[in-house]
Amino acid sequence: MSDDEPDLELLALLRQHLQGKLTLNDEPETGVLEGAEYVYDNAIDVAIDMRSCKNAAAAIHAQMQQKQYSPATWSAHELHPDRTKIGPEATVAFIFTMDLLNFSFWSELPDAERFAIEYRGQRWTGYWSLVAAMQRALDEGIPITDSHFWQDEEECTLDVLRQVFRSCTNEEMPLLAERLACLREAGKVLYERYECHPINLIEEANGSAAALVNLLARDFSCFRDEHVFDGRRKPIRILKRAQILVADLWACFEGEGYGKFRDIDKITMFADYRVPQILNTMGCISYSPPLDTAIRLKKDIPCGKSWEMQLRACSIWCVELIRREIVKRYPGTHTNAILIDFFLYDTIKEMEAAGQESVPHHRTRSIWY
Ligand SMILES: Nc1nc2c(c(CN[C@H]3C=C[C@H](O)[C@@H]3O)cn2[C@@H]2O[C@H](COP(=O)(O)O)[C@@H](O)[C@H]2O)c(=O)[nH]1
């Protein structure tokens, strides 16, 4: 923008301030919800059905109550780290590493041939294959959660990463080279700015979830999940892995210690490939015929293009509408987008395990989710 062009955003802020609509405080915002609403308002291939969202809100609330969904649910998963055993710093290092690599596990091969990790006598696929591989590596003495290791080009090679993520089938973990690049970049940034440990990132955020998300997006390109939509000058911030990292810390530490954030409710749903699938299954979001056909035929949905941005952003906005409906209809219920999201993810995974998926998840191969 040239000097003589007016900065329209600044003028808008000034106007809001003069009208007393703007409370200038130093609390940071991520901008994710604002971007999600913008995409929703301009989407033509993804729609939100309000009636289904209201019905879903009632059903989700009832089931979350019944299952007593809370941050403690996170640690109940057998593969997640036990902070009481390994201590807070090692737990933060584990979660940081996990959410650096928490993307793109889907396979087009049949279950028996898809990438899978054998650990503790079980075969783990999807997200759980990542967690299982990390636990196995630590058991085998590979310091997979240590940022010094990530930077060491002799020690931490692509072959070593192949070994860490070795499959019990012939299919290799997707995007292995990209995962190594994420570790390398994170190791470098942690060395240069955060004394080699992610706990210093959390300290820097000073108790704000939004600030931590913004720090991750500012300092690590591999967390900077933001994309231009329909030529809008300001990119749309999705920040899925940055947000799920903060959410996993909050859940694992049950809102205390390294999981203590005064603004945790600013975190949105995590725009992955599973929650849009269940929102579509529940009728909360629907697709234009060409997009619907592309998803059902498991066609590649290109990363960063309009269809994919509409899918991800409208899912974020849809979960926000469900959250607002729950808060409105059940006053006093303390829920947030994180717990609703965790519940939806776990629910679609139960449906997958029971062979009850009625529509496929969309296929985008990317490091963002
Ligand atoms: N929106 C959302 N996306 C989530 C999760 C999780 C796991 N969170 C655990 C922690 C607490 C919860 O209770 C879960 O047990 C993984 N993913 C994403 O899904 C994809 C993996 O799918 P599949 O290949 O089928 O396993 C991949 O993009 C991964 O990043 C979530 O919770 N929400």
Side-chain angles (χ1 to χ4, degrees):
M1 182 173 60
S2 64
D3 289 350
D4 52 2
E5 256 183 60
D7 183 333
L8 299 177
E9 273 168 51
L10 185 61
L11 283 174
L13 275 177
L14 214 53
R15 192 178 306 115
Q16 282 181 316
H17 183 54
L18 293 171
Q19 291 162 353
K21 284 184 200 157
L22 193 72
T23 49
L24 289 174
N25 61 35
D26 60 353
E27 278 305 300
E29 298 292 339
T30 66
V32 173
L33 264 191
E34 177 260 337
E37 186 176 22
Y38 175 86
V39 174
Y40 167 65
D41 288 342
N42 294 275
I44 52 171
D45 294 287
V46 180
I48 291 177
D49 179 84
M50 300 310 281
R51 174 61 38 219
S52 301
C53 284
K54 288 181 186 300
N55 296 337
I60 290 167
H61 172 74
Q63 288 174 60
M64 285 178 76
Q65 295 278 76
Q66 186 208 339
K67 292 184 176 180
Q68 297 180 318
Y69 243 76
S70 77
T73 315
W74 193 94
S75 302
H77 289 284
E78 62 176 292
L79 290 183
H80 279 155
D82 179 343
R83 71 180 192 279
T84 62
K85 283 212 184 78
I86 64 173
E89 285 78 10
T91 301
V92 169
F94 189 100
I95 292 173
F96 183 83
T97 311
M98 184 183 77
D99 284 322
L100 257 183
L101 305 174
N102 189 357
F103 56 84
S104 217
F105 307 106
W106 59 267
S107 165
E108 290 311 5
L109 296 179
D111 260 5
E113 299 164 46
R114 70 174 293 189
F115 167 75
I117 295 284
E118 221 151 54
Y119 182 63
R120 289 188 191 160
Q122 276 191 243
R123 281 167 67 110
W124 306 91
T125 58
Y127 163 79
W128 295 109
S129 68
L130 166 66
V131 195
M134 286 178 58
Q135 294 287 16
R136 183 177 66 182
L138 293 173
D139 293 353
E140 294 171 352
I142 300 171
I144 190 65
T145 61
D146 180 345
S147 70
H148 301 92
F149 174 68
W150 307 338
Q151 285 195 92
D152 186 330
E153 303 205 0
E154 268 76 55
E155 291 294 308
C156 184
T157 63
L158 188 55
D159 280 344
V160 167
L161 219 58
R162 266 198 196 96
Q163 177 63 11
V164 167
F165 293 106
R166 63 189 184 280
S167 175
C168 56
T169 69
N170 291 329
E171 186 179 44
E172 186 177 82
M173 176 179 242
L175 301 180
L176 214 48
E178 288 77 0
R179 295 179 205 275
L180 178 56
C182 290
L183 294 174
R184 284 268 200 274
E185 181 200 15
K188 184 169 177 294
V189 173
L190 288 176
Y191 169 76
E192 287 170 353
R193 300 187 185 197
Y194 297 103
E195 297 156 64
C196 303
H197 204 294
I199 54 171
N200 299 311
L201 253 169
I202 300 170
E203 300 293 350
E204 174 88 6
N206 190 26
S208 165
L212 183 49
V213 167
N214 291 340
L215 279 178
L216 288 160
R218 186 192 71 187
D219 294 348
F220 301 81
S221 66
C222 65
F223 277 115
R224 198 171 305 133
D225 177 9
E226 52 186 41
H227 314 273
V228 171
F229 175 70
D230 269 1
R232 184 171 100 140
R233 191 164 59 86
K234 194 175 169 196
I236 302 294
R237 307 188 91 199
I238 304 283
L239 304 179
K240 178 255 177 192
R241 285 195 289 106
Q243 291 203 96
I244 202 169
L245 168 53
V246 176
D248 285 339
L249 289 169
W250 172 73
C252 175
F253 287 91
E254 297 185 51
E256 296 303 326
Y258 289 118
K260 191 175 175 71
F261 301 102
R262 61 183 173 276
D263 59 345
I264 191 64
D265 290 350
K266 284 184 183 170
I267 298 295
T268 73
M269 165 264 183
F270 318 114
D272 70 323
Y273 50 88
R274 281 297 182 187
V275 177
Q277 180 188 15
I278 188 166
L279 292 175
N280 181 234
T281 303
M282 297 169 82
C284 296
I285 62 174
S286 59
Y287 307 139
S288 64
L291 175 55
D292 193 66
T293 304
I295 290 174
R296 287 178 187 279
L297 295 180
K298 300 181 182 180
K299 297 281 189 199
D300 175 55
I301 307 288
C303 175
K305 295 289 183 277
S306 182
W307 273 1
E308 192 231 13
M309 288 300 289
Q310 292 179 59
L311 266 171
R312 301 183 78 198
C314 292
S315 296
I316 291 173
W317 191 245
C318 180
V319 169
E320 173 59 13
L321 295 179
I322 290 171
R323 184 195 67 78
R324 290 180 185 179
E325 182 65 19
I326 289 174
V327 168
K328 191 175 80 178
R329 279 172 67 168
Y330 310 100
T333 310
H334 181 258
T335 192
N336 56 25
I338 296 171
L339 293 175
I340 295 168
D341 174 286
F342 282 174
F343 170 79
L344 289 171
Y345 171 85
D346 289 336
T347 302
I348 189 69
K349 292 302 286 178
E350 285 162 15
M351 291 168 72
E352 179 196 33
Q356 290 169 346
E357 289 176 279
S358 54
V359 285
H361 65 75
H362 73 275
R363 263 68 175 172
T364 297
R365 190 66 79 189
S366 94
I367 69 161
W368 303 119
Y369 59 100

